[in-house]
Amino acid sequence: MYDFAKKEFEKQYDSKMTVKKNQQVKEGTITKSKWVAVNGLKDIPCRISKKQITPVSEGEFAGISYSISLYCDPLLEIEPGSRISITDLYGVVREYKRSSEGFSSYRTHQEISIVRDDKT
């Protein structure tokens, strides 16, 4: 029954993600921190959900003021603090930072809170 439910849930995945983590990389004689894609976590099917937290009132500029959840396979190991690059079904790539620890108590999926990396 859970396998069927998991397959039905995965039919809703409309995006692909690549997970990066910060690690020490040696370039010549210099060792520095760099965001590197995690082996095996590239172009993984996923789905994001946005929930508005506060509405924009008159006179305010619209910003990124919503909660974002990432849904993916519960067996994936995504470290807290990872950076996640998500490509939606239109080919638009958005960067997300500060991923939380995955909530994988569900048998069909895990849920991870992420924050959009707004570089404006």
Side-chain angles (χ1 to χ4, degrees):
M1 179 173 92
Y2 289 112
D3 289 335
F4 174 76
K6 184 177 183 225
K7 287 180 183 178
E8 288 300 308
F9 194 87
E10 289 173 349
K11 286 180 183 178
Q12 298 179 35
Y13 293 167
D14 58 359
S15 301
K16 300 238 183 220
M17 70 174 174
T18 297
V19 180
K20 300 172 194 162
K21 69 177 181 178
N22 200 3
Q23 70 182 52
Q24 298 292 323
V25 176
K26 189 167 185 168
E27 293 181 358
T29 58
I30 300 172
T31 302
K32 59 183 176 179
S33 293
K34 198 173 194 179
W35 289 99
V36 178
V38 176
N39 190 24
L41 294 179
K42 185 173 183 166
D43 294 330
I44 303 295
C46 66
R47 181 176 181 90
I48 60 171
S49 172
K50 298 176 186 177
K51 176 182 165 188
Q52 187 171 357
I53 297 173
T54 56
V56 177
S57 62
E58 190 174 325
E60 290 184 22
F61 291 103
I64 300 171
S65 58
Y66 45 81
S67 173
I68 305 171
S69 295
L70 169 70
Y71 299 97
C72 60
D73 190 308
L75 300 177
L76 296 176
E77 292 185 30
I78 300 173
E79 294 179 17
S82 297
R83 300 253 171 144
I84 301 173
S85 178
I86 299 177
T87 306
D88 67 17
L89 67 147
Y90 302 108
V92 177
V93 179
R94 290 191 175 87
E95 299 291 329
Y96 296 88
K97 60 184 177 179
R98 293 191 304 229
S99 65
S100 69
E101 181 177 19
F103 183 72
S104 57
S105 292
Y106 307 116
R107 293 188 184 199
T108 55
H109 65 283
Q110 71 174 302
E111 184 175 340
I112 300 170
S113 295
I114 54 178
V115 175
R116 176 117 178 254
D117 191 5
D118 184 25
K119 296 178 183 170
T120 58

